[in-house]
Amino acid sequence: MARQPKLKQALKKEAAAEKKHKAAAQAAKAAAKEDAADPSLMPLPEDDKATVKNKAIEVIKRGLATSQIQVSGDAYIPEVWASKFKPLLGPYRRFVETCGAFKVVQGEIPCKFTVHRMDERLPTSKLVTGARWEVKLRAAWQKYLEEHKESRAPKEFVDFVKQVVAQKAKVSDRSRQRLQEHKAKRALELQQKLAAAASGEGQGEEDDDDDDDDGEPDEGEEEVRAPPKKVAKKKR
């Protein structure tokens, strides 16, 4: 019975998140339509590539300023990109990664990413950014697929990852063992030094006892007497 309130609360949160996501998507579409309605931002046949690039950057910046779709980890993509800009500038992600005006943050999966202005503070939410090692591993997998288009063997990739993990684990175990051996050696050397120091202090105290001079001969010692003085005889 105690779990029902928690379940209801979780369902409410999920419904609220879904509602927020839909609202963000609608806002993004509305912003894209506004951009499309602005003829000054649309490329013209006589425009060169540099002019079209500048227009595309302005369209994206406007959309990023008004859209909330990236809060859920989905990238903002202008609705007019495929029809107006892609024929000359190419795929959207490649453009925002290379144009120099934006930063791309990889999400939890390869197809999820977000776009940010160069002067914008990057987000830290897990919905927007994935763990670094996960992102790099997925990037490595995508690179493997690109380089092995004709002969792809997922098992080969997985086996290599396992091999790397096993090698790193062995190195870690060796390093840990060497560190423990080094600590044990240092502890033994310290004990030996302390023992030697304690032994030296004890010997010094014995020597001090033997050197005591109280004016009387110690037990077992013979008193050393000075030889008698010779008396000189007077001449007659």
Side-chain angles (χ1 to χ4, degrees):
M1 295 295 292
R3 294 182 179 178
Q4 290 183 357
K6 292 183 178 180
L7 180 60
K8 289 181 180 179
Q9 189 177 2
L11 291 174
K12 285 182 180 180
K13 286 183 177 180
E14 187 176 352
E18 184 66 22
K19 186 177 180 180
K20 188 176 181 180
H21 179 70
K22 288 181 179 179
Q26 291 176 357
K29 288 183 179 179
K33 288 180 180 178
E34 289 179 5
D35 293 339
D38 188 349
S40 64
L41 296 177
M42 295 302 103
L44 301 174
E46 62 271 16
D47 289 342
D48 57 7
K49 190 172 182 179
T51 303
V52 176
K53 175 183 175 181
N54 292 334
K55 288 183 176 181
I57 291 174
E58 184 62 27
V59 169
I60 296 170
K61 286 183 176 180
R62 286 193 182 188
L64 292 175
T66 58
S67 175
Q68 297 295 323
I69 193 171
Q70 296 199 140
V71 175
S72 60
D74 297 317
Y76 166 75
I77 302 176
E79 190 174 326
V80 296
W81 184 267
S83 60
K84 299 294 183 180
F85 295 102
K86 187 176 180 180
L88 186 60
L89 301 179
Y92 177 70
R93 176 160 183 171
R94 187 172 66 188
F95 174 77
V96 293
E97 285 179 333
T98 58
C99 70
F102 305 101
K103 293 180 287 189
V104 175
V105 176
Q106 179 61 53
E108 296 179 345
I109 56 178
C111 63
K112 260 200 168 189
F113 63 95
T114 52
V115 182
H116 307 270
R117 297 169 62 116
M118 292 299 292
D119 57 351
E120 181 183 353
R121 186 176 180 181
L122 295 180
T124 57
S125 172
K126 290 185 178 180
L127 290 174
V128 179
T129 60
R132 289 185 179 181
W133 70 268
E134 292 178 352
V135 172
K136 289 183 178 181
L137 182 60
R138 291 191 178 98
W141 170 245
Q142 292 299 320
K143 191 67 176 177
Y144 172 83
L145 295 178
E146 291 176 7
E147 295 180 356
H148 298 78
K149 292 181 179 180
E150 297 180 357
S151 58
R152 293 177 176 177
K155 188 177 182 300
E156 179 185 6
F157 182 83
V158 173
D159 290 342
F160 178 75
V161 172
K162 290 181 178 178
Q163 182 181 354
V164 171
V165 173
Q167 290 176 350
K168 294 294 183 182
K170 287 181 180 178
V171 172
S172 299
D173 291 341
R174 259 190 233 128
S175 300
R176 195 179 298 109
Q177 183 179 359
R178 288 176 182 174
L179 180 61
Q180 291 176 351
E181 291 175 353
H182 178 70
K183 286 183 177 179
K185 183 178 179 182
R186 291 293 300 273
L188 180 60
E189 291 176 352
L190 181 60
Q191 289 178 357
Q192 291 175 348
K193 288 180 180 179
L194 291 174
S199 176
E201 289 178 0
Q203 184 66 34
E205 291 176 358
E206 291 178 2
D207 294 342
D208 291 342
D209 292 342
D210 291 342
D211 293 341
D212 287 344
D213 187 9
D214 54 2
E216 297 181 358
D218 293 335
E219 185 179 354
E221 293 183 354
E222 293 183 358
E223 184 179 0
V224 178
R225 299 182 181 277
K229 294 182 180 180
K230 293 184 180 180
V231 181
K233 294 180 178 181
K234 293 181 179 181
K235 292 183 181 182
R236 292 182 181 179

